[in-house]
C-alpha cells in the first residue's frame, strides 16, 4: 500500500513539474534573473503548491498515524538552523542558478528524453554519494 | 525590473504548482513522510545495501518517470533549454547533490513541504538557496557575460 501511494504521489508530482514548466531550466533561470527580463512563473508554482499543501499538512500534523495505512507519522521534528543547513542550501542555490535545475526536474527531464541533462544528473547523484561517504 | 510577459505562464504555473502541492500534502497524510526529492534520492544512495525502506523511494522516483512517459503519450515534448555547458552542468550537479544533502532538503522538501508546514528551519533554507540562486544568475548573466 505504501509503495502504491508513493508511486501515485510521484506521478502527480512529476506531472506538476512538467505542467508548471519547471522541468525547463530556461524557465527556472528566467525566475532567478531579477535584473533581466523576469519570469515570475516559479513564484506562482510555489504559491499554488503551498496553497494546496498547507491545509493538508495542517491535518497531517494533527494525526499520530497516517490515513488509510495507520502507520506512525514520520514528519521531521528538526528545528535547528545551523551552518550545515545554511551553507548546504547556499551551495545548492549556486548549483541551481548555474544550471537552472534542481533534483526533481533533473529526474523528470531525463525521463522526458532530454539527454543534455545527463551530465548534471550524474554529477548530482555523485554529489549525494560523496556526502554519504563523508558522513561515515 | 522588467517582467518577461512573453515567457510568463501564470495559469499553468499555478495549476502545475497545485498538482505538486496536492502530491506533497497527500503524501504527508497517507505516508506520513516528506515528498522531498533530494531526500528520496539520497535515501536510495545510502550504500547500506537494499532495505525495504528504500522501496517506497524507488516507487516515488518511478512514479515521476511514469508521469513523463504518460505526458508524452498525449502531448508534444515540453520546452527544454539548458544553457549550461556539460562542464558547468557537472559543477552545478555536484553543488546541488552535496548541498541538498547537507541541508537535508531542496526546493521540494524545504520549499514546498517545509513552507507548508510553517517550518522556520525550512524558511531559512529557502532564503539561503533562493538568495544564492539570485546572486549566481546575476553574476552569470550580468557580470561575467
Amino acid at each position: 500500500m505504501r509503495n502504491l501511494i508513493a508511486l501515485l504521489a510521484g506521478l502527480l508530482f512529476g506531472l506538476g513539474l512538467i505542467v508548471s514548466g519547471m522541468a525547463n531550466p530556461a524557465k527556472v533561470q528566467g525566475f532567478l534573473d531579477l535584473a533581466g527580463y523576469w519570469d515570475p512563473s516559479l513564484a506562482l508554482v510555489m504559491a499554488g503548491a503551498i496553497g494546496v499543501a498547507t491545509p493538508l499538512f495542517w491535518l497531517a500534523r494533527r494525526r499520530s498515524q497516517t490515513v488509510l495505512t495507520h502507520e506512525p507519522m514520520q514528519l521531521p521534528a528538526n528545528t535547528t538552523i545551523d551552518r550545515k543547513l545554511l551553507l548546504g542550501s547556499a551551495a545548492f542555490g549556486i548549483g541551481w542558478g548555474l544550471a537552472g535545475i534542481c533534483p526533481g526536474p533533473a529526474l523528470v527531464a531525463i525521463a522526458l528524453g532530454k539527454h543534455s541533462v545527463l551530465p548534471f544528473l550524474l554529477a548530482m547523484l555523485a554529489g549525494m554519494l560523496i556526502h554519504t561517504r563523508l558522513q561515515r | 525590473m522588467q517582467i518577461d510577459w512573453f515567457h510568463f505562464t501564470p495559469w499553468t504555473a499555478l495549476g502545475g504548482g497545485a498538482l505538486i502541492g496536492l502530491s506533497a500534502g497527500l503524501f504527508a497524510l497517507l505516508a506520513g513522510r516528506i515528498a522531498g526529492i533530494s531526500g528520496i534520492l539520497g535515501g536510495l544512495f545510502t550504500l547500506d545495501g537494499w532495505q525495504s525502506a528504500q522501496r517506497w523511494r524507488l516507487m516515488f522516483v518511478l512514479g515521476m518517470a511514469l508521469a513523463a512517459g504518460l505526458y508524452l503519450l498525449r502531448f508534444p515534448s515540453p520546452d527544454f533549454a539548458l544553457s549550461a555547458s556539460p562542464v558547468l552542468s557537472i559543477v552545478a550537479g555536484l553543488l546541488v547533490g552535496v548541498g541538498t544533502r547537507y541541508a537535508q532538503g531542496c526546493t521540494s522538501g524545504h520549499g514546498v513541504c517545509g513552507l507548508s508546514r510553517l517550518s522556520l528551519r525550512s524558511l531559512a533554507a529557502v532564503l539561503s538557496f533562493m538568495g544564492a540562486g539570485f546572486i549566481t544568475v546575476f553574476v552569470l548573466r550580468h557580470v561575467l557575460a
Side-chain angles (χ1 to χ4, degrees), chain A residues 67-123:
Chain A
V67 177
L68 289 182
T69 48
H70 303 291
E71 288 182 67
M73 281 284 176
Q74 297 186 53
L75 298 177
N78 189 352
T79 56
T80 336
I81 298 173
D82 56 6
R83 268 221 316 244
K84 245 166 60 170
L85 177 80
L86 297 175
L87 293 181
S89 293
F92 161 46
I94 293 170
W96 190 41
L98 287 177
I101 315 171
C102 54
L107 280 179
V108 169
I110 198 68
L112 284 168
K114 313 293 186 188
H115 300 299
S116 58
V117 79
L118 202 58
F120 176 92
L121 180 65
L122 293 177

Side-chain angles (χ1 to χ4, degrees), chain A residues 34-50:
Chain A
L34 290 176
Y37 289 98
W38 188 53
D39 178 355
S41 301
L42 191 147
L44 289 187
V45 177
M46 290 303 283
I50 293 168

